[in-house]
């Protein structure tokens, strides 16, 4: 098979979530190419330093520049399919289309403006419906796609993500043995959006007894300084301004270091398609506590479901996850009191903390680059068969 791929998310100096996914994908494609199972071609906009930010820029790429390049390329060489890993799909093209749908958040809550709303709710959706096969990262999103977009189940395939840092977990051995002592760094990673629910962490810390509260440091990675002012105002109102640090967007190496110095990662989001930071943290042995939304419970619970049929549990994986099932890592995203209770237990109960550390390393082994690569190969074969 010869796979063509849209690399629009790879341009620009700051990678978005789409960009991180496309990098994971291209690494998998490179390995598959080295194994001579496929060949692939990546199409990226020029100049590579300038990201496609506006709807107009994306439309120009997806409806004019990219289709011209694809059709010119396929006129000279046969290609099996085109993979659109983010947002809109190219049109018109003369080969089968596979798209990745990360979530339906932009569909439900599009950016302001009639043009942007029309793009996300009509043009993007039309591209998804043209696809021979849709890839999602979780069973939760697969079911949303089937129900919300009325896509037949056989056209939706689940391929879970993996951690960029899966090969670097030995570094955690240097830090996990450090004394269980202050300061306790609580790390949050992600863009500054209301659905991320980051403010709950501040309110939770404010509820802690003073001797615990003063020992907590909150670090936000991925929030721009300007957008973070709202968080700082909340922190000031709770007298926590000296304990909140906005790290801004971090390079991969800097993010790795942020994970390694973290006491715990907190993922309080109210809506996600997969939520990669907890998996990245867990792959380094960093305990992670998460909101009890469906996708978190699916991915980070102990009974994962891949592709709607094969259940991977502590029994058939021969991994002792069941030993740690009594140590809840989930909390109500509307209850700062519940989150405060878990944070307190992490600080005061060393056995609880150590159990979450071990659970993190075990659970992260469910999601590997090898599994991602093989699942993507199955998806490509399935798409070609449908064509």
């Amino acid at each position: 098979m010869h796979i063509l791929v849209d690399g629009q998310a790879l341009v620009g100096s700051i990678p978005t979530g789409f960009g991180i996914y496309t990098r994971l994908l291209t690494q998998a494609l490179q390995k598959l190419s080295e194994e001579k199972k496929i060949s692939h071609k990546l199409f990226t906009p020029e100049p590579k330093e300038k990201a496609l930010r506006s709807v107009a820029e994306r439309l120009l790429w997806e409806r004019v520049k990219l289709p011209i390049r694809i059709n010119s390329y396929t006129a000279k060489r046969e290609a099996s399919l085109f993979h659109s890993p983010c947002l809109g799909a190219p049109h018109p093209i003369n080969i089968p289309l596979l798209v990745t749908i990360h979530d339906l958040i932009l569909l439900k809550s599009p950016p302001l403006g009639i043009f942007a709303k029309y793009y996300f709710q009509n043009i993007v959706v039309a591209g998804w419906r043209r696809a021979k096969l849709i890839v999602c990262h979780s069973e939760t999103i697969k079911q949303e796609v089937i129900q919300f977009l009325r896509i037949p189940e056989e056209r939706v395939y689940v391929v879970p993500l993996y951690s960029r840092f899966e090969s670097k977990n030995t570094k955690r051995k240097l830090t996990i043995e450090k004394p269980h002592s202050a300061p306790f760094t609580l790390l949050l990673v992600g863009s500054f959006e209301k659905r991320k629910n980051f403010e709950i962490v501040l309110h939770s810390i404010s509820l802690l007894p003073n001797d615990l509260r003063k020992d907590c440091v909150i670090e936000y990675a991925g929030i721009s300084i300007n957008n973070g002012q709202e968080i700082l105002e909340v922190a000031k109102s709770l007298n926590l301004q000296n304990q909140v640090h906005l790290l801004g967007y971090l390079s991969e190496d800097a993010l790795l270091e942020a994970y390694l110095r973290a006491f715990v990662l907190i993922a309080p989001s109210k809506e996600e398609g997969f939520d990669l930071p907890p998996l990245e943290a867990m792959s380094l042995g960093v305990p992670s506590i998460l909101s009890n939304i469906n996708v978190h419970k699916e991915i980070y619970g102990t009974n994962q479901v891949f592709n709607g049929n094969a259940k991977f549990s502590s029994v058939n994986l021969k991994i002792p996850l069941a030993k740690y099932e009594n140590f809840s890592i989930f909390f109500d995203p509307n209850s700062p009191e519940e989150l405060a209770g878990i944070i307190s237990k992490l600080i005061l109960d060393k056995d609880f903390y150590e159990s979450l550390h071990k659970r993190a390393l075990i659970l992260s082994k469910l999601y590997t680059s090898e599994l991602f690569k093989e699942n993507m190969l199955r998806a490509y074969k399935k798409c070609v068969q449908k064509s």
Side-chain angles (χ1 to χ4, degrees):
M1 288 185 293
H2 186 51
I3 314 297
L4 309 185
V5 183
D6 183 356
Q8 67 167 288
L10 297 176
V11 299
S13 57
I14 298 175
T16 61
F18 292 138
I20 292 169
Y21 169 70
T22 307
R23 286 184 182 181
L24 297 180
L25 175 66
T26 53
Q27 289 169 12
L29 291 172
Q30 184 60 41
K31 289 180 181 178
L32 287 170
S33 295
E34 291 168 359
E35 295 168 3
K36 301 189 184 304
K37 294 179 179 178
I38 66 160
S39 58
H40 71 284
K41 166 73 175 175
L42 189 68
F43 293 87
T44 55
E46 298 291 344
K48 293 183 179 180
E49 296 76 22
K50 187 177 184 299
L52 305 183
R53 298 293 185 195
S54 70
V55 170
E57 289 173 325
R58 291 193 182 108
L59 273 176
L60 181 62
W61 170 248
E62 295 160 0
R63 288 304 181 98
V64 181
K65 294 182 179 180
L66 184 55
I68 289 174
R69 289 177 61 179
I70 294 169
N71 294 329
S72 175
Y73 183 87
T74 55
K76 300 174 184 178
R77 179 175 178 177
E78 185 176 345
S80 304
L81 61 89
F82 188 89
H83 184 175
S84 181
C86 61
L87 295 176
H91 183 72
I93 57 174
N94 52 16
I95 57 174
L97 175 67
L98 180 149
V99 302
T100 297
I101 298 180
H102 303 267
D103 54 59
L104 301 183
I105 294 168
L106 283 172
L107 223 66
K108 299 172 185 176
S109 304
L112 296 177
I114 296 175
F115 192 31
K117 186 175 182 179
Y118 185 81
Y119 172 75
F120 287 108
Q121 295 186 333
N122 293 274
I123 295 176
V124 170
V125 171
W128 292 346
R129 289 190 168 127
R130 285 195 302 272
K132 294 291 182 182
L133 191 72
I134 292 168
V135 166
C136 299
H137 307 315
S138 65
E139 183 70 18
T140 300
I141 299 304
K142 174 182 176 178
Q143 294 306 318
E144 284 192 16
V145 168
I146 292 170
Q147 295 167 17
F148 193 78
L149 300 179
R150 298 182 180 179
I151 302 290
E153 183 173 3
E154 62 271 16
R155 285 174 54 198
V156 190
Y157 192 77
V158 178
V159 180
L161 299 174
Y162 67 95
S163 168
R164 291 173 284 175
F165 307 113
E166 66 175 5
S167 63
K168 299 179 180 179
N169 57 17
T170 53
K171 285 192 175 185
R172 184 61 183 176
K173 293 177 182 177
L174 301 176
T175 57
I176 197 63
E177 295 172 357
K178 68 183 180 181
H180 192 89
S181 58
F184 301 104
T185 301
L186 315 178
L187 179 64
L188 295 100
V189 178
S191 57
F192 186 76
E193 303 172 55
K194 281 293 183 183
R195 68 179 175 88
K196 293 291 186 179
N197 196 31
F198 287 156
E199 290 182 10
I200 191 177
V201 179
L202 296 173
H203 292 289
S204 297
I205 299 305
S206 73
L207 297 175
L208 296 178
N210 185 59
D211 59 333
L212 296 184
R213 182 171 65 248
K214 64 181 178 58
D215 288 336
C216 291
V217 174
I218 306 167
E219 290 191 349
Y220 292 88
I223 300 175
S224 69
I225 298 301
N226 289 337
N227 289 338
Q229 293 307 310
E230 186 176 341
I231 282 287
L232 293 178
E233 289 298 321
V234 174
K236 187 176 180 180
S237 71
L238 298 171
N239 200 28
L240 294 172
Q241 63 271 24
N242 295 327
Q243 295 166 249
V244 175
H245 305 297
L246 302 184
L247 306 181
Y249 285 96
L250 300 180
S251 67
E252 195 166 298
D253 287 341
L255 180 59
L256 173 61
E257 293 304 317
Y259 281 132
L260 291 176
R261 68 173 175 266
F263 176 69
V264 64
L265 179 128
I266 304 177
S269 184
K270 293 186 176 182
E271 188 169 6
E272 292 288 348
F274 184 91
D275 207 2
L276 189 56
L279 180 59
E280 293 182 336
M282 288 180 180
S283 72
L284 297 165
V286 182
S288 300
I289 50 179
L290 310 93
S291 57
N292 62 2
I293 58 175
N294 288 340
V295 72
H296 280 166
K297 290 188 289 185
E298 174 198 341
I299 301 300
Y300 302 109
T302 54
N303 290 310
Q304 289 70 28
V305 181
F306 297 159
N307 302 322
N309 46 43
K311 290 189 177 181
F312 289 68
S313 69
S314 56
V315 177
N316 56 35
L317 276 175
K318 297 181 180 179
I319 292 176
L321 269 175
K323 180 179 178 181
Y324 306 104
E325 285 183 358
N326 292 329
F327 300 100
S328 177
I329 62 171
F330 301 108
F331 61 90
D332 182 345
N334 297 307
S335 175
E337 295 83 5
E338 191 172 329
L339 176 55
I342 297 178
I343 294 172
S344 297
K345 188 171 178 61
L346 281 169
I347 294 173
L348 297 173
D349 189 337
K350 295 180 182 179
D351 291 338
F352 176 64
Y353 183 83
E354 184 63 21
S355 73
L356 262 61
H357 157 64
K358 291 177 180 178
R359 187 186 192 282
L361 287 173
I362 293 170
L363 193 144
S364 67
K365 289 181 172 61
L366 293 172
Y367 306 98
T368 65
S369 56
E370 183 66 21
L371 179 64
F372 178 83
K373 180 192 71 174
E374 293 303 319
N375 271 332
M376 283 309 308
L377 181 60
R378 293 188 189 99
Y380 291 141
K381 290 178 178 179
K382 191 176 180 72
C383 182
V384 171
Q385 290 169 358
K386 284 184 174 295
S387 302

